[in-house]
Amino acid sequence: MSFKEEFKREMRNIKNDAAKEVDKYWAIDFQGHKIEIHNKMLEETVKVDGRIVASNTRQSIWSHLMPYSTLSGTFQTEDGKHHKVFVKIGGLVRLNIVVKVDGRVIFKEAITLEFLPWSNKEFIVPYLEQQIKEHHKIINTDLPDDAYLVDENHPKLAPGLSDQLVSEGVTPFFTKKLLKLFMEQVENPTTQTRKATYEKIKEEKVISYFHELLELFVLEEIDEQRVQQEAIWLLEHAAHREVVKFAIIILGCTDCESMKERVKILALHEEFTGVALFALKNGTSNSNDSIWQIAKSVSGWGKIEAINFLEPNTEEIRLWILTEGTKNNVMNHYSSLICAEKGKLDIMLHESEISKELFIGAGEIILGLLGEVTHQAIDEYEYSGQVLMRYTYHAKTHCSGLEHFYILTRIAKYMSEDEETWNERYATNWKPHERQAVKEAILEIAKDPIWIQQTSSILHSGNKKDTHALAIAQYYKLDITELLFEKLKNDPNNLDYHMAIIATKDRKAIEALVTFMDRFESFEKLTEDEHFIIISLLEALGEYEGTGLHFIEKCLRSDDSSFQYFALNTLEKQDKRHWDRPDFIDVIQKIANKSKEKENRQLAKNLLS
């Protein structure tokens, strides 16, 4: 997020807050007639008996530099007499209003405009508590402060995700200053001290100074009752989510047993699950049962947080962690490593027989551990060798569908690394006999012809849910290239089909895929999948000298800087004699001179040198 975007959002919020603060309404009776005055940021109106008799419209908030505005109009009473109404409204610090009818003052008031950060807004905690009271669960994950955080440059995120994305800490002394303000609030709880703390909390995300706050707070000499009193005040008046989080953390630093049920309610909204679980674990007794109940009630980033806090102190909890822990609706398998460790997967799989439920759960954990090629958490897992050996052993009994056999093919791919990699694994978490046992078990299961039969049946059925079948076909090295191109005719943007063709490493298939890309007349208005397909092919072409040059040139000439980057990388891997011609030199020169991306300019210059 750029400073300009952040400043723009902050100014928008300030303007909206000011508009709400100055939005005032008065209704005055005059001889049975209703006089209404409505003051807004950019407009003042006077109505008598529902009819506008005077108004003033401002073009800009800067017109408030003229602190007062006057409005006058006339109205007629039932006796036929005309009356003149005059209103003077405005002020620099206080909003003053004087209403006169026929020169006589009938109303006068002065209101102090405080611009408190929590005023004129819906408080978050009562909003959530009302949902739980009415529905016994959170049915709407929107929060009242969404309007202050979401705009065209700041999309709405899944609850709890924004805390996962924070990578930087706060500026030096921020946390000390914040804690000092809060302690001043505790000692002298006034509107001004509360406002000072509240405004400071709003400046940064709580997660970015969470640990520092805990370290500093334990050094304070506190009156726990007064600390809780002010934490609860912030909790109940918070119209911004970071203030809610701060208040919960402070409560968690005290004995908050009396607040336990209230904190459990807040934990059900996944924006607050992490801090609420901290408060339960740190500030209440016998919290693990509560944490487990919450873990079973949330399904997104909150569930991921709950797995981190949950203690596997019973066999029932361990089994739940192994069978349900990795399932969530934001990033399946994200918690695979911690589930394997907390659920003691290695011990559970060492039984001579296991349940089908455990076998399926173990498979999901192993899929997560295998992860992507760029990062495989399984190499960080202390018992990876034992677990894969025992899982493949149990697969002889429980492997009954392609979804199970697919996991075995993923394991087989992991096992196929070079000897240098295996020497590193032997030094950490594998033994030679475990490796041999895994390979033998997979080969034994793979001998059954049913897997090829089922794979072929699915691939020829037109079923679009054929990801597992494609992987299994690749494992058996089945020649399905022609079939894949047939499928692409009906589903041209299917990523799996494109990647399966690239995985064949067959030059003719790659050339045919390049020709298939001619369907794009231009590279404008592409979907996310189309964008990824093009980049994937560009990367693959680096291995095929002189192939797809017209496609590479088209990517270079596009306005997409990422296409240019990968096209330049592809050319760098190839012998210059394939593309050393005027049309290529011309476009590369333009990128070297005019690209907005420094890396693209440098790559282009390297190619030309």
Side-chain angles (χ1 to χ4, degrees):
M1 168 192 336
S2 69
F3 172 78
K4 182 179 179 181
E5 290 174 352
E6 185 61 31
F7 179 75
K8 182 180 177 182
R9 180 172 68 170
E10 189 62 27
M11 289 305 296
R12 179 202 69 186
N13 290 340
I14 290 172
K15 184 174 160 184
N16 289 342
D17 284 349
K20 290 177 181 178
E21 182 65 22
V22 302
D23 191 326
K24 305 296 180 185
Y25 170 83
W26 297 268
I28 307 158
D29 179 76
F30 176 76
Q31 297 180 6
H33 294 270
K34 186 178 182 181
I35 301 175
E36 299 172 89
I37 302 101
H38 198 167
N39 181 77
K40 296 183 179 181
M41 178 67 81
L42 298 177
E43 183 183 23
E44 298 95 18
T45 58
V46 180
K47 292 182 181 180
V48 178
D49 296 333
R51 182 176 67 87
I52 295 176
V53 298
S55 66
N56 176 43
T57 302
R58 302 173 185 269
Q59 297 300 315
S60 164
I61 62 172
W62 304 113
S63 60
H64 283 275
L65 293 174
M66 297 292 291
Y68 286 92
S69 63
T70 58
L71 302 95
S72 62
T74 60
F75 64 96
Q76 187 176 7
T77 51
E78 293 177 353
D79 58 6
K81 185 176 180 181
H82 286 82
H83 299 273
K84 183 176 181 179
V85 59
F86 172 85
V87 177
K88 182 179 181 181
I89 189 168
L92 291 172
V93 179
R94 295 160 66 87
L95 185 64
N96 298 281
I97 179 171
V98 177
V99 182
K100 297 180 181 180
V101 176
D102 299 332
R104 182 172 65 88
V105 175
I106 65 167
F107 182 80
K108 186 176 183 180
E109 187 177 52
I111 302 173
T112 300
L113 299 178
E114 295 185 285
F115 296 100
L116 299 173
W118 57 81
S119 62
N120 303 304
K121 301 178 182 72
E122 185 170 9
F123 298 148
I124 291 174
V125 171
Y127 165 81
L128 295 177
E129 290 176 331
Q130 186 62 30
Q131 280 196 53
I132 297 296
K133 181 179 179 181
E134 292 179 5
H135 307 284
H136 306 292
K137 63 180 180 179
I138 300 292
I139 61 168
N140 182 5
T141 61
D142 293 344
L143 289 172
D145 66 340
D146 279 347
Y148 287 82
L149 300 173
V150 178
D151 59 26
E152 65 277 8
N153 297 312
H154 307 84
K156 183 175 172 60
L157 301 176
L161 175 57
S162 63
D163 283 350
Q164 304 291 329
L165 300 177
V166 172
S167 59
E168 296 182 0
V170 292
T171 55
F173 307 113
F174 173 88
T175 313
K176 284 185 178 180
K177 174 64 175 175
L178 172 58
L179 188 54
K180 180 181 178 183
L181 290 172
F182 177 67
M183 296 312 297
E184 288 173 356
Q185 173 186 335
V186 170
E187 291 300 316
N188 183 27
T190 66
T191 298
Q192 291 309 307
T193 57
R194 287 167 170 168
K195 178 182 178 183
T197 305
Y198 194 112
E199 291 284 12
K200 192 67 175 175
I201 296 169
K202 279 178 56 189
E203 290 180 13
E204 299 285 353
K205 292 189 71 63
V206 173
I207 193 67
S208 63
Y209 59 85
F210 169 73
H211 294 293
E212 185 183 5
L213 178 64
L214 299 185
E215 291 172 2
L216 293 175
F217 189 82
V218 297
L219 302 177
E220 295 286 335
E221 294 184 10
I222 65 169
D223 180 328
E224 188 162 290
Q225 184 177 354
R226 295 174 72 176
V227 165
Q228 283 194 358
Q229 174 185 309
E230 289 310 300
I232 292 171
W233 187 93
L234 286 170
L235 194 70
E236 293 177 342
H237 292 79
H240 298 81
R241 64 191 66 186
E242 296 306 314
V243 180
V244 175
K245 294 174 188 177
F246 178 87
I248 293 173
I249 289 171
I250 294 297
L251 286 172
C253 292
T254 68
D255 179 353
C256 56
E257 191 71 35
S258 62
M259 292 286 292
K260 189 171 187 175
E261 293 306 312
R262 201 171 191 185
V263 173
K264 284 166 62 176
I265 287 174
L266 297 178
L268 295 176
H269 192 290
E270 304 198 43
E271 185 67 28
F272 307 112
T273 305
V275 290
L277 294 183
F278 161 77
L280 289 172
K281 191 161 189 172
N282 201 59
T284 70
S285 60
N286 302 316
S287 62
N288 204 55
D289 285 344
S290 297
I291 293 172
W292 188 26
Q293 292 306 314
I294 291 163
K296 293 188 288 186
S297 301
V298 290
S299 56
W301 290 105
K303 183 173 182 178
I304 292 170
E305 291 281 13
I307 294 294
N308 291 331
F309 280 95
L310 185 60
E311 293 295 334
N313 55 13
T314 68
E315 186 172 342
E316 185 181 9
I317 292 178
R318 285 193 293 274
L319 183 61
W320 180 85
I321 288 173
L322 293 177
T323 57
E324 299 293 330
T326 65
K327 300 174 186 177
N328 60 70
N329 59 21
V330 289
M331 195 175 286
N332 266 340
H333 303 134
Y334 187 89
S335 300
S336 291
L337 182 56
I338 195 167
C339 284
E341 293 171 341
K342 285 195 170 186
K344 299 187 184 302
L345 182 59
D346 56 312
I347 295 174
M348 299 290 273
L349 290 181
H350 260 287
E351 296 293 330
S352 57
E353 295 181 3
I354 63 171
S355 67
K356 186 78 170 182
E357 180 188 25
L358 177 56
F359 176 75
I360 293 171
E364 290 301 313
I365 289 174
I366 288 168
L367 271 182
L369 291 174
L370 290 171
E372 301 296 330
V373 175
T374 53
H375 175 72
Q376 295 184 295
I378 196 164
D379 285 326
E380 302 168 16
Y381 180 39
E382 183 179 3
Y383 304 110
S384 55
Q386 293 181 45
V387 162
L388 290 190
M389 182 178 70
R390 295 303 298 171
Y391 176 79
T392 51
Y393 166 82
H394 291 298
K396 296 173 187 177
T397 301
H398 292 293
C399 184
S400 58
L402 281 188
E403 69 275 17
H404 306 145
F405 188 71
Y406 164 73
I407 298 173
L408 296 181
T409 67
R410 290 289 306 276
I411 295 173
K413 188 174 182 179
Y414 170 78
M415 303 297 292
S416 66
E417 290 289 349
D418 56 42
E419 288 304 313
E420 183 179 350
T421 300
W422 273 102
N423 286 333
E424 293 176 5
R425 290 173 180 168
Y426 289 148
T428 53
N429 49 14
W430 277 84
K431 293 181 175 62
H433 77 274
E434 293 168 343
R435 179 187 180 188
Q436 187 63 29
V438 170
K439 291 171 68 174
E440 289 176 357
I442 294 175
L443 286 173
E444 181 181 338
I445 297 169
K447 287 178 183 177
D448 192 332
I450 192 172
W451 309 122
I452 292 179
Q453 293 167 7
Q454 290 183 4
T455 296
S456 180
S457 176
I458 289 176
L459 291 177
H460 286 87
S461 69
N463 187 342
K464 290 187 177 181
K465 294 182 178 179
D466 51 12
T467 303
H468 291 172
L470 288 171
I472 294 169
Q474 188 176 341
Y475 169 77
Y476 281 109
K477 296 181 172 57
L478 302 180
D479 184 3
I480 58 169
T481 305
E482 188 176 338
L483 175 61
L484 289 170
F485 277 105
E486 284 298 316
K487 286 176 169 290
L488 278 178
K489 290 178 182 178
N490 298 320
D491 193 4
N493 291 331
N494 189 303
L495 281 170
D496 291 331
Y497 300 157
H498 282 268
M499 298 308 293
I501 292 171
I502 290 172
T504 65
K505 296 188 179 296
D506 180 85
R507 180 182 288 271
K508 289 184 178 180
I510 300 298
E511 289 173 348
L513 192 57
V514 170
T515 302
F516 185 74
M517 288 298 186
D518 289 339
R519 66 194 174 92
F520 293 111
E521 292 183 7
S522 73
F523 289 151
E524 297 179 2
K525 298 180 180 179
L526 297 175
T527 66
E528 187 175 340
D529 282 353
E530 289 170 337
H531 197 272
F532 187 80
I533 285 167
I534 290 169
I535 288 176
S536 298
L537 182 55
L538 279 172
E539 286 189 296
L541 287 174
E543 299 180 25
Y544 302 92
E545 293 278 350
T547 299
L549 290 176
H550 73 283
F551 173 71
I552 296 171
E553 183 183 353
K554 187 175 180 179
C555 291
L556 289 172
R557 293 189 182 281
S558 75
D559 294 328
D560 191 304
S561 61
S562 62
F563 289 170
Q564 292 178 356
Y565 172 81
F566 285 101
L568 291 168
N569 265 297
T570 297
L571 292 181
E572 194 173 43
K573 296 173 184 176
Q574 297 194 9
D575 193 310
K576 190 173 182 178
R577 62 187 173 84
H578 294 295
W579 53 267
D580 190 7
R581 61 195 198 203
D583 48 351
F584 266 93
I585 300 300
D586 176 63
V587 67
I588 294 171
Q589 189 69 63
K590 287 180 179 177
I591 293 172
N593 294 336
K594 298 181 179 180
S595 175
K596 295 179 181 179
E597 302 296 328
K598 181 179 178 181
E599 199 164 3
N600 287 6
R601 293 198 303 271
Q602 188 59 52
L603 281 170
K605 289 174 183 177
N606 291 343
L607 287 171
L608 294 171
S609 61

